[in-house]
Amino acid sequence: MAARLRTVSSSDIQQQCRMITELVLASPFFRRSNTVSCYLSMPAGEVDTSALVSAILHSGKTLFVPKIDVTSDGRMAFLKIYSEDDLRTIPSGTYGIKEPDFEWLGRRRHNALDDATETLDLIFMPGVAFDRSLSRLGHGKGYYDRFISSYTDAKSASGARRPLLVALALREQVLEAGEVPAAPYDWKMDVIISPDGMLGVDMMEGSRDDDA
């Protein structure tokens, strides 16, 4: 997959990212969501989310972004972003990805796992590769799978519905069904959005409460 992506021009990738962002913003599930988690993209190798995260804040939705917890192997925290100014000043962290500090303007940031925090409606997820059976291949650390499992366990007691899991993929990252290896603990996506459209939308309703 890395070799395949190196053959794609930067202009093609940016065009694909614009198309993906437009599809996201026009989708019914995005419009009806109130609280959204979205990754802050790496410099290369995945869908650029810079325009999307700005649009989330501009739309008045609540935005959470991931931060790798260096004190716990394979764990991430999902922290609230409060404004465009906050977003612009986020420093680069692990793997060159922008990650917020645990405090903003001298106060502790809200964490998605906090009891009093708004329930996540959507989680936009990156990946190395995806397939038409809605499997996702990450970078092998299990960050997202662990977070989703922890979040679902923590929030289910209050009756909260599991967030919709939406993968963002360049067309080169979408493979045929069964081509992405999957383990029992790997979460499948509810929706995969690429420049060519959305996979999983027809089966989305009624299947979100199933474990992957």
Side-chain angles (χ1 to χ4, degrees), residues 129-137 178 180-182 187-189 192:
F130 310 89
D131 71 20
R132 293 182 178 276
S133 63
L134 304 180
S135 294
R136 168 185 173 269
L137 177 67
V180 167
W187 285 84
K188 284 205 173 190
M189 302 296 94
I192 297 172

Side-chain angles (χ1 to χ4, degrees), residues 5-24:
L5 290 175
R6 282 196 293 269
T7 69
V8 186
S9 69
S10 58
S11 60
D12 187 4
I13 290 176
Q14 288 306 309
Q15 182 181 22
Q16 290 193 50
C17 294
R18 286 192 293 270
M19 295 169 68
I20 291 166
T21 301
E22 289 171 3
L23 285 170
V24 168

Side-chain angles (χ1 to χ4, degrees), residues 138-151:
H139 290 275
K141 299 292 187 180
Y143 290 118
Y144 277 94
D145 294 309
R146 287 188 182 90
F147 174 79
I148 295 164
S149 295
S150 297
Y151 186 85

Side-chain angles (χ1 to χ4, degrees), residues 24-118:
V24 168
L25 298 180
S27 66
F29 51 83
F30 177 78
R31 290 180 176 179
R32 65 175 175 250
S33 66
N34 295 311
T35 305
V36 179
S37 169
C38 186
Y39 67 95
L40 301 180
S41 45
M42 296 190 297
E46 63 188 18
V47 174
D48 184 343
T49 61
S50 55
L52 178 56
V53 291
S54 292
I56 292 168
L57 287 173
H58 185 72
S59 68
K61 300 180 189 298
T62 301
L63 172 65
F64 285 81
V65 302
K67 178 182 178 66
I68 292 175
D69 185 351
V70 296
T71 67
S72 178
D73 187 39
R75 300 283 177 177
M76 285 194 303
F78 280 60
L79 304 177
K80 185 174 179 178
I81 303 302
Y82 293 93
S83 66
E84 290 273 7
D85 284 342
D86 184 8
L87 182 64
R88 280 193 294 269
T89 58
I90 294 175
S92 292
T94 311
Y95 307 122
I97 303 168
K98 288 188 173 184
E99 293 183 304
D101 295 324
F102 282 99
E103 292 188 351
W104 166 244
L105 299 180
R107 300 181 64 180
R108 176 184 174 274
R109 287 185 190 271
H110 289 170
N111 187 311
L113 284 170
D114 292 342
D115 290 338
T117 299
E118 308 97 315

